[in-house]
Amino acid sequence: SLRFPQKLWKMLESDQFQSIWWSEGGKCVAINKDLFEVEVLGREGQKVFHTQKIKSFMRQLNAYGFTKMQRNFQRSASLPEFLAEEAAASAHSQILYYYNPGFNREHPWLLQTCKRR
């Protein structure tokens, strides 16, 4: 069976999942938290990971050296623009971004450097 980083890579390269994708030009993993819980962790039959809990999945990411990235939004001075940006930011809050220097779509050979801490 594949180790966690290989499973994650295979999932990102597959077009089977809508809840997880490459972002930042293949340098980050983006996860739509709510959709991921249903589509991947709540899956019946053929399980992808050994857990059904998002917190356990996030612990696995951390154990393999992934760090959560914060999304910084520049705020506007005008109230209507600020409110529109707040709405966009809250929609974005369901999306988690993780980075690992050894997990890069452009450099698949680095995958072997992703070791459990």
Side-chain angles (χ1 to χ4, degrees), residues 21 31-35 37 89-97:
W21 63 93
I31 302 165
N32 179 316
K33 194 176 124 203
D34 291 345
L35 185 56
E37 286 182 286
S90 83
H92 256 295
S93 71
Q94 286 305 317
I95 300 181
L96 308 172
Y97 296 89

Side-chain angles (χ1 to χ4, degrees), residues 67-106:
T67 53
K68 190 173 180 187
M69 305 294 290
Q70 296 302 321
R71 307 305 290 171
N72 296 325
F73 293 95
Q74 292 296 322
R75 300 291 184 212
S76 295
S78 81
L79 184 62
E81 283 180 33
F82 177 81
L83 293 173
E85 288 166 4
E86 280 298 304
S90 83
H92 256 295
S93 71
Q94 286 305 317
I95 300 181
L96 308 172
Y97 296 89
Y98 283 88
Y99 170 77
N100 181 324
F103 201 86
N104 185 318
R105 189 178 199 178
E106 301 300 312

Side-chain angles (χ1 to χ4, degrees), residues 20-37:
I20 186 168
W21 63 93
W22 291 105
S23 78
E24 310 296 324
K27 291 182 177 76
C28 285
V29 175
I31 302 165
N32 179 316
K33 194 176 124 203
D34 291 345
L35 185 56
F36 188 83
E37 286 182 286

